[in-house]
Amino acid sequence: MLAADFNAFARHFRLPCLVATPERARLLQHPDELRTIFDRLGAHYRSFGDVTLERTVNEALFDGPDLLRFSFETAALVHGETRDGPHAGHSTAVRDGDTWHITDNHALVARDSVQNTVFRRGGAADDPTPPEGSPEVLAIFQNNLDTVTQAFLTGEFDMLLRAVTLPLFKQGSRGPELLTTQDELRRDFDRYVSAIRMQDVTDLVRGVTSAHALGAARIHGTCRTHVLAGTQLLFPSYVSAITLEQGADRAWRMTSIMHPLETPTLDRVVWGGA
């Protein structure tokens, strides 16, 4: 990217490829779409002058022999001083023979970041009406949201287990988290149930705003969450980005979720953004 060598960049990706932030997501299906993002992000970083991009992997694990998931941080430095970032992110790479290709890239960035601008689909609204996506895909996505929501409201951990799969990537105000075991998931679940009770939350209203199939067994979408105490909205609603995958049993389960950086969320309000 810094050398403006698109061919060297593109050989690490496989289309279709999903790029996403907590604010918006975009499915790249043609090389010219990847080229547009490459050009605009590269120009952004090169505008700093003598810039270095530092990208550090935090977690990486195999999900089967041909799928690699990893979380990382990216920072743009000029003479050792940070000019952009650090931004957390996570990606999925698949094995094609002896080569690994990225099939999705999620970045936890601020609302006014260049990534949010680049990923926008031709100026489309954040919350289109009706929601973007086919009725079948939207229904699958909404059903998963409803199951996860009910699990938190009722404190039924077994219900959550039916709706998510491990490893589960989470990003938000608490920073990036990778939950790999049921014990880790249980501790995270208990924190959120405690937060709901501490804030006297009576309802979580989560509505799908977009959902798109990525191949035959993956869906990426966005939803808007309203946190209510009776009829009172505890804080402004916010958009989250979620990925679902279909298992061998044909069930759809959540594999990643990103919450916005700046907007107060239930997690951020209770835990102070730690």
Side-chain angles (χ1 to χ4, degrees), residues 60-187:
L61 53 89
F62 283 105
D63 189 0
D66 299 316
L67 189 69
L68 180 67
R69 303 180 190 275
F70 55 97
S71 62
F72 57 92
E73 288 189 347
T74 300
L77 307 178
V78 177
H79 303 304
E81 295 186 3
T82 302
R83 293 289 302 274
D84 190 288
H87 305 303
H90 69 266
S91 293
T92 301
V94 296
R95 190 201 304 266
D96 293 318
D98 295 329
T99 306
W100 289 89
H101 292 122
I102 294 171
T103 58
D104 64 73
N105 187 70
H106 305 242
L108 187 64
V109 293
R111 181 186 296 269
D112 60 354
S113 70
V114 67
Q115 287 89 344
N116 269 324
T117 301
V118 169
F119 294 169
R120 181 179 296 147
R121 296 185 194 89
D126 285 343
D127 290 330
T129 304
E132 289 185 338
S134 72
E136 179 183 5
V137 173
L138 290 169
I140 291 170
F141 194 79
Q142 186 67 61
N143 181 67
N144 183 272
L145 289 177
D146 293 342
T147 302
V148 171
T149 299
Q150 277 301 110
F152 283 117
L153 289 175
T154 60
E156 296 184 45
F157 181 65
D158 288 343
M159 184 182 296
L160 181 71
L161 283 177
R162 294 195 295 271
V164 306
T165 191
L166 299 172
L168 177 67
F169 281 87
K170 294 182 57 190
Q171 293 183 359
S173 59
R174 288 168 54 86
E177 297 177 84
L178 176 63
L179 308 179
T180 60
T181 68
Q182 282 197 19
D183 287 343
E184 291 174 335
L185 183 64
R186 182 66 196 238
R187 287 193 292 270

Side-chain angles (χ1 to χ4, degrees), residues 15-27:
L15 301 178
C17 180
L18 180 76
V19 290
T21 72
E23 301 294 332
R24 50 177 53 90
R26 183 176 177 184
L27 183 62

Side-chain angles (χ1 to χ4, degrees), residues 35-54:
R35 180 66 190 251
T36 297
I37 288 179
F38 170 82
D39 288 342
R40 296 181 67 180
L41 283 180
H44 166 70
Y45 288 126
R46 291 192 300 272
S47 71
F48 297 142
D50 186 15
V51 63
T52 299
L53 278 183
E54 286 194 354

Side-chain angles (χ1 to χ4, degrees), residues 21-24 108 111 126-127 141 145 148-149 152 170-173 192 195-196 201 203-209 221-228 233-242 257-270:
T21 72
E23 301 294 332
R24 50 177 53 90
L108 187 64
R111 181 186 296 269
D126 285 343
D127 290 330
F141 194 79
L145 289 177
V148 171
T149 299
F152 283 117
K170 294 182 57 190
Q171 293 183 359
S173 59
Y192 272 82
I196 287 171
V201 173
D203 203 3
L204 296 171
V205 180
R206 285 177 166 149
V208 57
T209 54
T222 57
C223 69
R224 183 170 288 280
T225 297
H226 304 262
V227 182
L228 301 174
L233 189 66
L234 288 182
F235 37 85
S237 63
Y238 56 90
V239 174
S240 302
I242 295 170
I257 181 167
M258 288 191 297
H259 297 307
L261 283 174
E262 297 133 323
T263 305
T265 63
L266 189 62
D267 179 66
R268 185 173 181 176
V269 168
V270 173

